[in-house]
Amino acid sequence: MCRILGSFAAGAAARAARPEPAELSAVSARQRHGGPDEHQVLSGPGWSLGCDRLAVTDPCGGQQPYRLPHLPGIIAVLNGEIYNHASLRRHLAARGHRFPDRCDGTVLPALYAEYGPAFADHLDGMFAVAVLDLRPGKAQLVLAVDDMGMKPVHWHHDPADGSTRFASEIPALLAFEGVRIAPREDSLDTVLATRTSFSAHTALDGIEVLPPGATAVVRPGCRPYVRRRTPHPAAPAGDTQDVLRSEVRRLARAEVPVCAITSGGLDSGLVTALAAEHARESDAPPLHTFHLTYRGKWPDSEAAYARSVARRARTTHHEVALDPDELPSLLTRTVRHLGQPNADPIALSTYALFRAVREAGFTVALAGDGADELFGGYERMRAALDAPAGPEGADWTGAYADALSAAPRLLREHLYTSSYRAFIADQGSAADRIEQELRSAEAAGADRMVAMTGFETRWRLPAYHLRRVDHLSMAWAVEARMPFCQPSVVAHARSLAPAALRGKQALYEAGADLLPPTVLTRPKQPFTLPIAAMLTPGSPLLDTVRELLSPARLVLGGKVRADRVRKLLARQLERPSQHDALALWGLAVHELWSDVVQGMRIPVGCAA
């Protein structure tokens, strides 16, 4: 698990001097938190390739960038884990390749030499890979990410000189001298409509994120060519519990300390129970589990449920009590690490939780992300399934899109200035594109549940959840592993009848003999921050949000009406609600992000 970076130029830019060491050091420094164990950057005329390593597999070997003596001109870097590296090594050794160590990424130059840009078709894992082919007549850069988008890579292409630059994190990418950016005009609407940047876009014009399961090829003089690979999922064997057990055991093996995140819900509870079972059967020390709560009395605490899971699984449980007075400073740090706005208050909790994991000495953490998207766990899915078919239920997609938002459509349009409302109407909102995708899938004959899980896993999960987990776990040099996002579990979920997915029925059956009854019968509740309670008089976040939404700031931005935001805040203070609090939070996070990105690099068109 690492942070990666690099650049590749063409034409006159490629004939220029190699990138400046100071520039590459600045890029690396902005993501060094994710790779504190080793640092190396290679460069030459028109190219660079670097890695900040978090040593997990073969900690004493696997120096990056990867090079093999018998393959001069092929260099690779890896962020993530390749779980089938042992079988790949045997296959490649039989074809004459030799390897200096047993690190997973060491196989990449040989795999590329055999299969070219199709090398990623042979990888099983969570990964973002960059391969530079510098052989005469074959010069190209190849980028690839795993099928679920667990490990992101952000890139910028300059059409003026044909150069492409990439990094694991946006702040690092902005440290490249040639990267010129400006905030997207629709970024506020996208954040309020979907809580984050959507699809392959980021909140910055000129910076893209590689879509899940995609490979990008950059050749001299050409814009990156991006293609989505055809997934080759492993055939699932057994019932839901068997398939999940197999993946949990595979991901629980590591050469560094492993723990589990236990929120107190079904998904993380299943992962915890199976990981603890594996530890006992392996005669390993008891599994350590971590749960975040808040000092004082706050609504919707899940601490008792998490303790119940830990007792049943016989883990060594850590209950991390966060001081709410620390939240304003955590907000700035999380926005900086994410590099773009994410309106889910869970970001603060996630950051603090992985900090505690690292401080306790753990490098790998198992988590339950992805279960809701694959197994139909969201309330918006149940509501959509209950909507009538045909014309009578034609508006189900609008309600579905509103359920994804920080502020539903009517509230957004109420808050916008007339000019910004007209701009969004002309350009179209991310919410419009979501509704159209769902309608098109249903019109083409897809089952409604299949349409929703397809959308959720293709776009929502990587953009909203997985990038956040990657950035905030790696902020503390922790590798988050997600059994639900592995190919066999994905294939199993997609093989189930829609009825087995409604309300995660298949997962409840899998947990019947593993989890306490109180966890199996409790109402669904996401792991998050009690934002409605924390935006009330005297609460720790109110002053921060009020300052970020000051009339002077909002008038200067020109996108929302300061008077209507002021009334929304007054309503929240008088009658606290999750809906109003989340809308205010989305607005505030976008404002803070605008400040943060301004500090990283002065955007095009803005005064210094």
Side-chain angles (χ1 to χ4, degrees), residues 304-486:
Y305 295 111
R307 288 194 294 267
S308 177
V309 171
R311 282 194 302 269
R312 175 71 176 262
R314 288 175 280 166
T315 72
T316 300
H317 192 55
H318 304 256
E319 193 168 287
V320 181
L322 178 65
D323 185 347
D325 289 339
E326 191 186 357
L327 291 173
S329 67
L330 290 187
L331 174 58
T332 301
R333 288 181 231 168
T334 56
V335 170
R336 184 179 296 118
H337 276 290
L338 290 169
Q340 55 182 333
N342 185 303
D344 195 332
I346 196 177
L348 279 67
S349 310
T350 304
Y351 179 85
L353 184 56
F354 282 114
R355 178 180 63 184
V357 167
R358 185 65 177 184
E359 289 175 347
F362 292 89
T363 307
V364 171
L366 302 177
D369 298 80
D372 283 312
E373 289 79 3
L374 285 163
F375 289 88
Y378 289 118
E379 177 58 37
R380 60 180 175 264
M381 293 178 164
R382 288 191 285 271
L385 293 175
D386 289 339
E392 298 84 359
D395 63 345
W396 74 269
T397 60
Y400 192 93
D402 267 353
L404 299 171
S405 70
R409 185 182 293 270
L410 290 178
L411 178 58
R412 295 197 302 273
E413 294 177 350
H414 173 73
L415 294 175
Y416 292 160
T417 60
S418 58
S419 60
Y420 193 61
R421 186 164 57 247
F423 169 78
I424 295 301
D426 180 59
Q427 296 294 315
S429 170
D432 299 329
R433 295 188 286 276
I434 291 170
E435 292 177 32
Q436 182 57 46
E437 177 168 337
L438 293 170
R439 288 193 198 101
S440 297
E442 189 172 43
D447 176 89
R448 194 172 289 183
M449 177 61 81
V450 172
M452 290 185 292
T453 56
F455 159 76
E456 294 277 353
T457 55
R458 184 167 56 254
W459 295 123
R460 175 74 170 180
L461 177 63
Y464 184 54
H465 292 282
L466 300 183
R467 290 178 212 164
R468 181 179 65 228
V469 171
D470 170 76
H471 284 37
L472 299 183
S473 61
M474 291 295 279
W476 292 101
V478 174
E479 175 177 298
R481 295 183 177 181
M482 293 162 280
F484 284 106
C485 293
Q486 300 310 307

Side-chain angles (χ1 to χ4, degrees), residues 60-382:
C60 296
Q63 186 181 63
Q64 295 202 50
Y66 300 110
R67 293 172 289 177
L68 295 176
H70 66 287
L71 293 173
I74 300 177
I75 316 171
V77 287
L78 164 69
N79 170 27
E81 296 285 342
I82 299 171
Y83 299 125
N84 64 332
H85 68 94
S87 61
L88 288 173
R89 186 177 288 103
R90 289 191 297 270
H91 167 71
L92 293 166
R95 298 179 68 84
H97 296 283
R98 296 294 177 263
F99 305 97
D101 54 46
R102 54 185 178 79
C103 186
D104 52 348
T106 307
V107 304
L108 290 170
L111 195 66
Y112 175 85
E114 292 290 332
Y115 300 105
F119 77 94
D121 293 343
H122 302 267
L123 299 178
D124 174 12
M126 56 175 183
F127 58 84
V129 176
V131 179
L132 261 178
D133 190 342
L134 301 174
R135 295 175 294 178
K138 298 183 178 181
Q140 62 182 10
L141 167 69
V142 180
L143 304 172
V145 296
D146 63 79
D147 287 351
M148 296 296 282
M150 288 179 276
K151 308 310 296 180
V153 62
H154 301 87
W155 59 276
H156 171 272
H157 178 74
D158 187 344
D161 65 7
S163 60
T164 298
R165 298 168 177 87
F166 69 90
S168 294
E169 300 185 13
I170 289 176
L173 184 56
L174 297 183
F176 276 110
E177 291 294 335
V179 174
R180 296 288 182 265
I181 54 89
R184 291 176 59 95
E185 280 298 309
D186 65 353
S187 64
L188 175 61
D189 180 72
T190 301
V191 168
L192 293 181
T194 73
R195 307 192 197 188
T196 191
S197 298
F198 192 65
S199 70
H201 296 305
T202 70
L204 296 169
D205 254 335
I207 295 182
E208 302 288 312
V209 61
L210 210 58
T215 296
V217 178
V218 187
R219 296 190 173 97
C222 301
R223 179 178 171 80
Y225 169 71
V226 180
R227 71 173 181 90
R228 298 284 286 266
R229 304 186 302 273
T230 301
H232 300 287
D239 61 17
T240 302
Q241 190 185 96
D242 292 336
V243 174
L244 188 58
R245 175 179 283 110
S246 176
E247 286 299 344
V248 168
R249 293 186 174 207
R250 184 168 73 139
L251 271 58
R253 293 192 289 268
E255 297 173 62
V256 292
V258 178
C259 67
I261 304 299
T262 305
S263 70
L266 172 66
D267 310 334
S268 67
L270 274 168
V271 172
T272 295
L274 293 170
E277 174 190 273
H278 172 66
R280 290 192 298 271
E281 294 178 1
S282 304
D283 293 325
L287 177 73
H288 285 247
T289 51
F290 287 80
H291 176 80
L292 185 81
T293 187
Y294 307 94
R295 293 179 189 171
K297 292 186 178 181
W298 299 96
D300 303 322
S301 172
E302 296 185 279
Y305 295 111
R307 288 194 294 267
S308 177
V309 171
R311 282 194 302 269
R312 175 71 176 262
R314 288 175 280 166
T315 72
T316 300
H317 192 55
H318 304 256
E319 193 168 287
V320 181
L322 178 65
D323 185 347
D325 289 339
E326 191 186 357
L327 291 173
S329 67
L330 290 187
L331 174 58
T332 301
R333 288 181 231 168
T334 56
V335 170
R336 184 179 296 118
H337 276 290
L338 290 169
Q340 55 182 333
N342 185 303
D344 195 332
I346 196 177
L348 279 67
S349 310
T350 304
Y351 179 85
L353 184 56
F354 282 114
R355 178 180 63 184
V357 167
R358 185 65 177 184
E359 289 175 347
F362 292 89
T363 307
V364 171
L366 302 177
D369 298 80
D372 283 312
E373 289 79 3
L374 285 163
F375 289 88
Y378 289 118
E379 177 58 37
R380 60 180 175 264
M381 293 178 164
R382 288 191 285 271

